[in-house]
Amino acid sequence: MTQRDVVFPPGRQALYERNRYSPAIRSNGFLFVSGQVGSTADGSPEPDLEAQVRLAFNNLKAILAAADCSFDDVVDVTVFMVDPQSTFERIWSVVPEFWGSAPHPTLTAVGVTWLYGFQFEIKVIARLPEAD
């Protein structure tokens, strides 16, 4: 097995080691990012929904930056939402703060019943700049 090329954002390596997963892995010109939630530095959920979504995006942004990527490099997005029927509009109102202009990445949105105390999670695949 080859060694995984793991990307860690600054200041959060202990959190990922404690939970036994890699925040992102570079492979074949792409960056595969684990689902990011609106967790504070200690891993607990941000209680306010919009603030939680912003924090999830900022946690994602830190991982992308650690790999010399940005949201412009994202090609595929999967989001998970608890109770999307009542939360979707509030969650989606935050997206324009982070997403650039069209064309946008592909998107899959999934409604779930449980996210370990969180209301929103975002997982992406990005093209690494050096792969262009």
Side-chain angles (χ1 to χ4, degrees):
M1 181 172 147
T2 61
Q3 183 73 19
R4 291 184 177 108
D5 186 3
V6 178
V7 175
F8 284 100
R12 293 180 59 95
Q13 187 164 352
L15 178 65
Y16 294 110
E17 288 177 356
R18 183 179 75 220
N19 291 313
R20 302 181 53 85
Y21 71 99
S22 298
I25 294 181
R26 289 182 192 97
S27 180
N28 295 322
F30 289 94
L31 182 70
F32 297 86
V33 182
S34 291
Q36 297 300 301
V37 293
S39 61
T40 60
D42 69 0
S44 63
E46 163 59 49
D48 177 76
L49 178 60
E50 287 90 344
Q52 188 182 119
V53 173
R54 282 184 189 92
L55 192 50
F57 271 93
N58 283 323
N59 290 340
L60 172 59
K61 185 177 179 180
I63 292 171
L64 291 170
D68 296 321
C69 291
S70 72
F71 288 113
D72 290 337
D73 299 304
V74 173
V75 295
D76 185 63
V77 178
T78 304
V79 295
F80 303 91
M81 295 175 264
V82 173
D83 190 16
Q85 187 168 2
S86 67
T87 60
F88 180 82
E89 293 301 325
R90 289 175 57 205
I91 288 170
W92 224 243
S93 71
V94 176
V95 172
E97 297 174 24
F98 296 91
W99 244 228
S101 56
H104 301 292
T106 64
L107 173 72
T108 301
V110 180
V112 297
T113 59
W114 184 79
L115 285 174
Y116 200 64
F118 296 90
Q119 298 295 309
F120 174 81
E121 182 173 348
I122 182 168
K123 175 181 177 33
V124 305
I125 300 170
R127 184 157 175 81
L128 293 165
E130 65 268 14
D132 290 335

